[in-house]
Amino acid sequence: MLTTLQLEQRRRRLSPPSLKQQYQEYILQRIEAFKNSLSRTELLRIGGEAAEELCTSTAGQFVLTEVLMLDTVDRMIRQRLALPSFRRWCRLFRALRTAQREPTHWGIEPRNPVVRLLPRIEPGDATAVIGSGAESIAYLLAAHEMDVTFLASDFALVDRVETRAAEESLATSFTALVASPGHELPPFDRPVSLVILDTGALEEFGPAGTPGAIAELQRRTYPGGIHVVVASGQALSPDAFVRLYPDWDLEESRGRRRSAGQRTHGLTFVSQGQKDTRMDVSFGRGDFLHNAL
């Protein structure tokens, strides 16, 4: 992510993935989602139809390889789903992506602290979004071309989020994983620049587990990275977690100050130091609750 200084200096931004690449990923995601929705019997039936079609069309002139079978099955599913051509998808995609980059498209209020960070995002920045209450933020960040890892304790929710990301053409760099209290945090491909923490998810870890969970996420964040603790429903206010960021800078919100007793939408913490691109990324199996045990 860009620092505020780099943003003011209008530093050259990285390029997002090409439309062709995003289209191919969209097609693959829709096909895989359809396969996952079928029973084994249904999959075998489609495979049988593909084999019959190949034998008829080639008249036995080609060896029926596994790769040829898979390509044929994928083509049949694509036809069955009536997926758009690249040209038609591009027209739809541009309009869709413009809408998706607006916080209000996902029901996110302008006062949410994540909104202020959007101009600082560069394509390919890595982010971890923790908790069901931050689901809409995960989609918003993916629409801004971030590599999103979404974590929640509910398997059904994770499956639904992953499916919706594919349907919204956001799956090019979107991963949804199950992370339950008391278990290890799933490995990340690399350190992250931004972490979004839903206070509702943090409460699942309880008073003993929360410090360890946050410490582990801090360890997986680049120096100079950002954590945003966002309010969720009737969960604790983000203010309750300030003490867990003693060595981080609390970024003040712009605009009118909160009045006494007013509930905050979230708090932004900035890690001290600059990004170190030499950071070792092989730490993926760290204990999520190592400080709590």
Side-chain angles (χ1 to χ4, degrees):
M1 292 183 68
L2 298 177
T3 64
T4 51
L5 178 60
Q6 290 169 335
L7 182 64
E8 291 169 358
Q9 294 173 341
R10 298 180 181 275
R11 202 193 79 170
R12 178 184 295 182
R13 306 183 70 84
L14 300 176
S15 300
S18 69
L19 284 175
K20 195 71 174 179
Q21 178 184 349
Q22 294 182 68
Y23 173 72
Q24 291 171 345
E25 186 68 24
Y26 163 77
I27 294 297
L28 288 174
Q29 289 287 343
R30 293 302 305 274
I31 290 174
E32 288 305 312
F34 181 77
K35 287 179 181 178
N36 292 335
S37 69
L38 299 177
S39 66
R40 178 176 174 81
T41 301
E42 291 172 318
L43 276 173
L44 289 174
R45 180 172 54 78
I46 294 177
E49 293 175 3
E52 183 178 349
E53 178 182 309
L54 283 170
C55 290
T56 301
S57 61
T58 62
Q61 297 178 32
F62 298 99
V63 177
L64 194 60
T65 65
E66 183 178 352
V67 172
L68 190 59
M69 274 287 295
L70 288 173
D71 287 345
T72 304
V73 168
D74 286 353
R75 178 177 55 78
M76 293 174 66
I77 291 176
R78 182 172 174 175
Q79 293 174 343
R80 200 168 288 191
L81 294 176
L83 297 179
S85 65
F86 176 65
R87 180 175 296 181
R88 180 168 176 267
W89 177 85
C90 282
R91 291 198 303 270
L92 298 172
F93 175 80
R94 287 192 178 97
L96 175 64
R97 187 62 88 241
T98 298
Q100 289 173 334
R101 287 177 175 163
E102 293 296 325
T104 52
H105 178 83
W106 305 106
I108 299 173
E109 295 187 28
R111 290 177 293 176
N112 190 299
V114 173
V115 175
R116 294 191 296 108
L117 299 177
L118 297 180
R120 295 165 58 178
I121 292 173
E122 289 197 289
D125 281 341
T127 180
V129 181
I130 320 295
S132 59
E135 176 186 347
S136 58
I137 295 177
Y139 300 136
L140 175 65
L141 297 178
H144 283 265
E145 315 300 343
M146 292 197 84
D147 289 341
V148 177
T149 299
F150 176 80
L151 304 175
S153 59
D154 185 344
F155 179 83
L157 169 67
V158 168
D159 185 60
R160 179 176 63 77
V161 167
E162 193 170 45
T163 300
R164 185 175 181 187
E167 293 173 347
E168 298 274 359
S169 299
L170 296 172
T172 304
S173 54
F174 196 106
T175 303
L177 303 171
V178 177
S180 300
H183 293 77
E184 292 182 349
L185 181 69
F188 298 167
D189 291 337
R190 55 194 168 108
V192 295
S193 309
L194 174 65
V195 174
I196 310 298
L197 292 163
D198 162 32
T199 56
L202 289 174
E203 283 195 348
E204 293 183 12
F205 295 96
T210 297
I214 290 182
E216 177 67 8
L217 288 165
Q218 290 172 345
R219 193 171 71 88
R220 298 187 183 203
T221 305
Y222 274 122
I226 297 173
H227 282 202
V228 180
V229 182
V230 294
S232 175
Q234 300 303 313
L236 285 174
S237 166
D239 293 310
F241 302 94
V242 172
R243 62 183 179 80
L244 301 179
Y245 288 87
D247 300 323
W248 291 52
D249 297 325
L250 177 59
E251 191 172 273
E252 294 295 335
S253 300
R254 297 175 184 174
R256 187 171 56 186
R257 297 180 59 184
R258 266 192 299 154
S259 59
Q262 183 180 0
R263 186 179 177 87
T264 179
H265 286 75
L267 295 177
T268 301
F269 300 92
V270 183
S271 172
Q272 297 177 4
Q274 299 298 317
K275 287 185 179 180
D276 183 355
T277 55
R278 298 169 298 175
M279 178 181 285
D280 179 17
V281 299
S282 61
F283 50 71
R285 281 293 177 187
D287 183 359
F288 199 4
L289 302 178
H290 71 284
N291 282 355
L293 301 177

Coordinates of all heavy atoms in Angstrom, one line a residue, residues 20 23-24 26-28 30 77-93 96 166-167 169:
K20 N -7.9 -10.1 -20.0 CA -7.9 -11.4 -20.5 C -7.7 -12.4 -19.3 O -8.3 -13.5 -19.2 CB -6.8 -11.6 -21.5 CG -7.0 -12.9 -22.4 CD -8.2 -12.8 -23.3 CE -8.3 -14.0 -24.2 NZ -9.5 -13.9 -25.1
Y23 N -10.7 -12.6 -17.1 CA -11.8 -13.3 -17.8 C -11.6 -14.8 -17.7 O -12.5 -15.6 -17.3 CB -11.9 -12.9 -19.2 CG -12.9 -13.7 -20.0 CD1 -14.2 -13.6 -19.9 CD2 -12.4 -14.6 -21.0 CE1 -15.1 -14.4 -20.6 CE2 -13.3 -15.4 -21.7 CZ -14.7 -15.3 -21.5 OH -15.5 -16.0 -22.3
Q24 N -10.3 -15.2 -17.9 CA -10.0 -16.7 -17.9 C -10.2 -17.2 -16.5 O -10.8 -18.3 -16.3 CB -8.6 -16.9 -18.3 CG -8.4 -16.7 -19.8 CD -7.0 -16.7 -20.3 OE1 -6.0 -16.6 -19.4 NE2 -6.7 -16.8 -21.6
Y26 N -12.3 -15.9 -14.3 CA -13.8 -15.9 -14.0 C -14.4 -17.2 -14.6 O -15.2 -17.9 -13.9 CB -14.4 -14.7 -14.7 CG -15.9 -14.8 -14.9 CD1 -16.7 -14.5 -13.8 CD2 -16.4 -15.0 -16.2 CE1 -18.1 -14.6 -14.0 CE2 -17.8 -15.1 -16.4 CZ -18.6 -14.8 -15.3 OH -20.0 -14.9 -15.5
I27 N -14.0 -17.6 -15.8 CA -14.6 -18.8 -16.4 C -14.2 -20.0 -15.6 O -15.0 -20.9 -15.3 CB -14.0 -18.9 -17.9 CG1 -14.6 -17.8 -18.8 CG2 -14.4 -20.3 -18.5 CD1 -16.1 -17.8 -18.9
L28 N -12.9 -20.1 -15.2 CA -12.5 -21.3 -14.5 C -13.2 -21.4 -13.1 O -13.6 -22.5 -12.7 CB -11.0 -21.2 -14.2 CG -10.1 -21.5 -15.4 CD1 -8.6 -21.2 -15.1 CD2 -10.2 -22.9 -16.0
R30 N -16.2 -20.2 -12.3 CA -17.6 -20.6 -12.5 C -17.7 -22.1 -12.8 O -18.7 -22.8 -12.4 CB -18.2 -19.8 -13.6 CG -18.4 -18.3 -13.3 CD -19.2 -18.0 -12.1 NE -20.5 -18.6 -12.1 CZ -21.6 -18.1 -12.7 NH1 -21.5 -16.9 -13.2 NH2 -22.7 -18.7 -12.7
I77 N -19.7 -27.8 -19.8 CA -20.3 -27.1 -18.6 C -20.4 -25.6 -19.0 O -21.4 -24.9 -18.6 CB -19.4 -27.3 -17.4 CG1 -19.5 -28.7 -16.9 CG2 -19.7 -26.3 -16.3 CD1 -18.5 -29.0 -15.7
R78 N -19.4 -25.1 -19.7 CA -19.5 -23.7 -20.1 C -20.7 -23.4 -20.9 O -21.4 -22.3 -20.8 CB -18.2 -23.3 -20.8 CG -18.1 -21.8 -21.2 CD -16.8 -21.5 -21.8 NE -16.7 -20.2 -22.3 CZ -15.6 -19.5 -22.8 NH1 -14.5 -20.2 -22.8 NH2 -15.7 -18.3 -23.3
Q79 N -21.0 -24.3 -21.8 CA -22.2 -24.1 -22.7 C -23.4 -24.2 -21.9 O -24.4 -23.5 -22.1 CB -22.2 -25.2 -23.8 CG -21.0 -25.0 -24.8 CD -21.0 -26.1 -25.8 OE1 -21.5 -27.2 -25.6 NE2 -20.3 -25.9 -26.9
R80 N -23.4 -25.2 -20.9 CA -24.6 -25.4 -20.1 C -24.9 -24.1 -19.2 O -26.1 -23.8 -19.0 CB -24.4 -26.6 -19.2 CG -25.6 -27.2 -18.6 CD -25.3 -28.6 -18.0 NE -25.0 -29.6 -19.0 CZ -25.0 -30.9 -18.7 NH1 -25.2 -31.3 -17.5 NH2 -24.7 -31.8 -19.7
L81 N -23.8 -23.5 -18.8 CA -24.0 -22.3 -17.9 C -24.2 -21.0 -18.7 O -24.5 -20.0 -18.2 CB -22.7 -22.1 -17.0 CG -22.5 -23.1 -16.0 CD1 -21.2 -22.9 -15.3 CD2 -23.6 -23.2 -15.0
A82 N -24.1 -21.1 -20.1 CA -24.2 -20.0 -21.0 C -23.4 -18.8 -20.6 O -23.8 -17.7 -20.5 CB -25.7 -19.5 -21.0
L83 N -22.1 -19.1 -20.3 CA -21.1 -18.1 -19.9 C -20.8 -17.2 -21.0 O -20.8 -17.6 -22.2 CB -19.8 -18.7 -19.3 CG -20.0 -19.6 -18.1 CD1 -18.7 -20.2 -17.7 CD2 -20.6 -18.8 -16.9
P84 N -20.7 -15.9 -20.7 CA -20.5 -14.9 -21.8 C -19.2 -15.0 -22.5 O -18.2 -15.5 -22.0 CB -20.6 -13.5 -21.1 CG -20.1 -13.8 -19.7 CD -20.6 -15.2 -19.4
S85 N -19.2 -14.5 -23.8 CA -17.9 -14.4 -24.5 C -17.0 -13.3 -23.9 O -17.5 -12.5 -23.1 CB -18.2 -14.1 -26.0 OG -18.7 -12.7 -26.1
F86 N -15.8 -13.3 -24.3 CA -14.8 -12.3 -23.7 C -15.3 -10.9 -24.0 O -15.3 -10.1 -23.1 CB -13.4 -12.6 -24.3 CG -12.4 -11.5 -23.9 CD1 -12.1 -11.4 -22.5 CD2 -11.9 -10.7 -24.8 CE1 -11.1 -10.5 -22.1 CE2 -10.9 -9.7 -24.4 CZ -10.6 -9.6 -23.1
R87 N -15.7 -10.7 -25.3 CA -16.2 -9.3 -25.6 C -17.4 -8.9 -24.8 O -17.4 -7.7 -24.3 CB -16.5 -9.2 -27.1 CG -16.9 -7.9 -27.6 CD -17.1 -7.8 -29.1 NE -15.8 -8.1 -29.8 CZ -15.7 -8.0 -31.1 NH1 -16.7 -7.8 -31.9 NH2 -14.5 -8.3 -31.6
R88 N -18.4 -9.7 -24.7 CA -19.6 -9.4 -23.9 C -19.2 -9.2 -22.4 O -19.7 -8.3 -21.7 CB -20.6 -10.5 -24.1 CG -21.9 -10.2 -23.3 CD -23.1 -11.1 -23.8 NE -24.3 -10.9 -23.0 CZ -24.6 -11.6 -21.9 NH1 -23.8 -12.5 -21.5 NH2 -25.7 -11.3 -21.3
W89 N -18.4 -10.1 -21.9 CA -18.0 -10.1 -20.5 C -17.2 -8.7 -20.2 O -17.5 -8.1 -19.2 CB -17.0 -11.2 -20.2 CG -16.5 -11.2 -18.8 CD1 -17.1 -11.7 -17.7 CD2 -15.3 -10.7 -18.3 NE1 -16.3 -11.5 -16.5 CE2 -15.2 -10.9 -16.9 CE3 -14.2 -10.1 -19.0 CZ2 -14.1 -10.5 -16.2 CZ3 -13.1 -9.7 -18.2 CH2 -13.0 -9.9 -16.9
C90 N -16.4 -8.3 -21.1 CA -15.7 -7.0 -20.9 C -16.6 -5.9 -20.7 O -16.4 -5.0 -19.9 CB -14.7 -6.7 -22.1 SG -13.2 -7.7 -22.0
R91 N -17.7 -5.8 -21.6 CA -18.7 -4.7 -21.5 C -19.4 -4.8 -20.1 O -19.5 -3.7 -19.5 CB -19.7 -4.8 -22.6 CG -19.2 -4.5 -24.0 CD -20.3 -4.2 -24.9 NE -21.3 -5.3 -25.0 CZ -21.2 -6.3 -25.9 NH1 -20.2 -6.4 -26.8 NH2 -22.1 -7.3 -25.9
L92 N -19.7 -6.0 -19.7 CA -20.4 -6.1 -18.4 C -19.5 -5.9 -17.3 O -19.8 -5.2 -16.3 CB -21.0 -7.5 -18.3 CG -22.1 -7.9 -19.3 CD1 -22.4 -9.4 -19.2 CD2 -23.3 -7.0 -19.2
F93 N -18.2 -6.3 -17.4 CA -17.3 -6.3 -16.3 C -16.9 -4.8 -16.0 O -16.8 -4.5 -14.8 CB -16.0 -7.1 -16.7 CG -14.9 -7.0 -15.8 CD1 -14.9 -7.8 -14.6 CD2 -13.8 -6.1 -16.0 CE1 -13.8 -7.7 -13.7 CE2 -12.8 -6.0 -15.0 CZ -12.8 -6.8 -13.9
L96 N -19.7 -3.3 -14.0 CA -19.8 -3.9 -12.8 C -18.6 -3.5 -11.8 O -18.9 -3.2 -10.7 CB -19.7 -5.5 -12.9 CG -19.7 -6.3 -11.7 CD1 -21.0 -6.1 -10.9 CD2 -19.5 -7.8 -12.0
A166 N -16.7 -15.5 -6.8 CA -16.6 -16.0 -8.2 C -17.7 -15.4 -9.0 O -17.5 -15.0 -10.2 CB -16.7 -17.5 -8.2
E167 N -19.0 -15.4 -8.5 CA -20.1 -14.8 -9.2 C -19.9 -13.3 -9.5 O -20.4 -12.8 -10.6 CB -21.4 -15.1 -8.5 CG -21.8 -16.5 -8.3 CD -22.9 -16.7 -7.4 OE1 -23.3 -15.8 -6.7 OE2 -23.5 -17.9 -7.4
S169 N -17.1 -11.9 -10.2 CA -15.9 -11.7 -10.9 C -14.8 -11.1 -10.1 O -13.9 -10.4 -10.5 CB -16.1 -10.8 -12.2 OG -17.0 -11.4 -13.0

